[in-house]
Amino acid sequence: MSTPNPFLTLDQQLIGDIYTSTEVLDNLIVLCDDFGSRFGGSPGERQAAEFLQAKLSEYGLAPVRLEPVDYLSWQRGAVSLEIIEPVQQPVPCITLPHSPPAELEGEIIDLGDGMPGDFKRQAAHIEGKIVMASSAVRGKESRRWIHRDEKYGRSLMAGATGFIFANHYPGYGPATGGIGYGAAAPLPGLSVSFETAAFIKRLLRRHGRVKVRLTSSDTCRANVSWNVIGELPGRSRPEEIVLLGSHYDGHDIAQGATDPASGTVCVLEAARVLARHAPDLTRTVRFALWGIEEIGLLGSKAYVRRHAAELDRHRFYLNLDGAGYRFNDVVLNEWPALQPLFERWSREMTHDFKVDQSVHTFSDHYPFFLAGVPTGGLEPVGELSTGRGYGHTSHDTVDKVGLPTLRDTAALAARLALRLSQASDWPVQRRDAAAVQAALNSPEYQEEETYKASLRAFLVQHGLAAELC
């Protein structure tokens, strides 16, 4: 038996508008084709921020503002990687964002997928070598997402002199991703294609030793980015805030169409249709397009610091990072008391999304989670993928995103925002620091928390920047 829908007329208006408009795809094309990657420090970054600001104003949101974020940007320079033993041959590569300029020779040690167990087994052999680990995010021993940054950090703590990130997908080229901790990274990091890594592995099997020479010339400098913030003020409880967001910056080697721009334009589309069809929202719905997520969640971290005094009034943050190219469920970040409410909404909306509980540290929900704000995101449930696919590669282009999935995601986001704003039965409140830590008190999360504590201690001991995601 279906649950009665008290928002049936509004749902029909929101869905009808979204499914009879191409605005969401039109915006994606502009963001990607006109402004490129929107990587921090690029001309397209500022152009994208101004475009997003103009769109939110055009849709009727007020106020709409750019909130500046000071940070250290990274500029890609020339790089070369040459195998010098047992053969002499240059191989293609790219540096990873915040990799420092380097001149380095060393032997490669292959750690396979670079899971925590791989580092433990090879601990005695890593020091003084260049670690190569694949981009696979899950292995036979670990079902949690093992991020590139963790593989890099474990290499650093084990005494490696460099890090090579090997794409585990054939045909996609090198995969990029940040490795800094708010400053230039302590040791150089590169990415190579599946095919280049396979060549190195064959040499290791046949000869037992591969030595390489790396030369790179990347730079960092002080810069400014922008969070784009727009509001639909609530009528009766305007001080209470429902927040929807996605970052808009991609990586410099690609358009970043699936990750993140597909989510960015769905946030825009939800704002457009709610502004048009839902003028009597109870609580304020605020829309945020974050800058510089890809090098450390810097935009969302800055927002949490700047708006610290009003976080108690943030009812919920819904994250749409890269959400617009796939079917989505709802993943709550360890808020079990909210699960029955979202499951009821799924029945009420006759939209068969699953509701699950999980949290990871590598998107813009996480600064809010650490601050105790109720958070969740639009992600698939039960899909144990091994990686990002086209994401973070030069193949992440507009043609990988379809209008139907953009519409599906925007409609789900708008309908959830409507209910988040209007719901009178809200069973949770902001957590304190102890409750946040308690939410991470499980074996799955403890492994990562233990690793991060060890990395922080290592960075402090060696006088390095200690800000982690």
Side-chain angles (χ1 to χ4, degrees), residues 82-393:
E82 181 183 6
I83 298 172
I84 54 179
E85 295 180 22
V87 297
Q88 292 189 342
Q89 180 173 330
V91 293
C93 70
I94 60 172
T95 42
L96 297 172
H98 278 192
S99 181
E103 293 185 5
L104 171 68
E105 289 188 6
E107 291 185 32
I108 290 177
I109 180 169
D110 178 21
L111 261 61
D113 289 336
M115 298 292 115
D118 297 321
F119 279 91
K120 289 177 183 177
R121 282 186 291 274
Q122 297 278 13
H125 308 290
I126 296 173
E127 186 172 2
K129 294 190 172 68
I130 299 170
V131 166
M132 184 169 74
S134 89
S135 62
V137 299
R138 291 185 179 89
K140 296 178 182 177
E141 303 169 4
S142 181
R143 289 171 65 84
R144 74 174 176 90
W145 185 287
I146 308 296
H147 194 268
R148 164 196 66 256
D149 213 34
E150 181 172 340
K151 301 178 187 189
Y152 176 86
R154 289 185 183 275
S155 301
L156 175 64
M157 289 192 293
T161 58
F163 176 70
I164 297 176
F165 191 53
N167 200 341
H168 72 291
Y169 292 107
Y172 289 7
T176 189
I179 53 171
Y181 304 111
L187 67 147
L190 305 178
S191 181
V192 299
S193 68
F194 171 89
E195 292 76 14
T196 294
F199 173 47
I200 293 171
K201 288 173 184 285
R202 291 195 301 272
L203 290 176
L204 283 168
R205 284 195 298 269
R206 293 174 59 211
H207 301 278
R209 182 173 182 264
V210 173
K211 188 175 182 181
V212 296
R213 179 185 297 121
L214 157 68
T215 305
S216 63
S217 56
D218 307 321
T219 57
C220 291
R221 66 181 179 88
N223 216 324
V224 179
S225 185
W226 304 268
N227 291 331
V228 187
I229 310 294
E231 292 186 357
L232 295 176
R235 292 299 178 93
S236 58
R237 309 191 76 164
E239 73 284 357
E240 297 181 21
I241 298 165
V242 172
L243 185 63
L244 274 68
S246 171
H247 69 102
Y248 63 89
D249 64 309
H251 276 289
D252 65 328
I253 67 168
Q255 291 187 330
T258 67
D259 178 14
S262 70
T264 307
V265 296
C266 289
V267 173
L268 279 184
E269 186 72 348
R272 181 182 74 85
V273 296
L274 285 169
R276 176 176 291 185
H277 301 291
D280 295 318
L281 295 168
T282 299
R283 294 163 183 83
T284 295
V285 180
R286 182 177 290 175
F287 301 86
L289 293 317
W290 312 116
I292 46 178
E293 185 267 1
E294 294 289 11
I295 56 172
L297 319 182
L298 302 182
S300 53
K301 286 179 180 177
Y303 177 96
V304 167
R305 290 192 298 267
R306 183 177 307 212
H307 295 268
E310 63 178 18
L311 290 182
D312 281 344
R313 298 188 277 109
H314 280 58
R315 171 175 266 210
F316 193 83
Y317 171 58
L318 183 68
N319 194 40
L320 271 71
D321 183 359
Y325 72 100
R326 61 197 175 193
F327 180 83
N328 288 287
D329 302 299
V330 173
V331 175
L332 301 172
N333 301 141
E334 300 300 343
W335 293 92
L338 287 175
Q339 183 142 349
L341 181 61
F342 278 83
E343 289 173 344
R344 191 186 84 202
W345 288 345
S346 176
R347 294 190 298 271
E348 172 190 296
M349 295 160 62
T350 63
H351 185 117
D352 190 23
F353 61 80
K354 302 182 186 71
V355 184
D356 199 9
Q357 304 284 341
S358 182
V359 64
H360 62 83
T361 65
F362 299 106
S363 191
D364 288 306
H365 64 281
Y366 196 61
F368 293 92
F369 172 85
L370 289 180
V373 175
T375 55
L378 299 188
E379 305 172 29
V381 167
E383 178 185 298
L384 294 179
S385 64
T386 62
R388 301 175 185 271
Y390 293 115
H392 286 203
T393 76

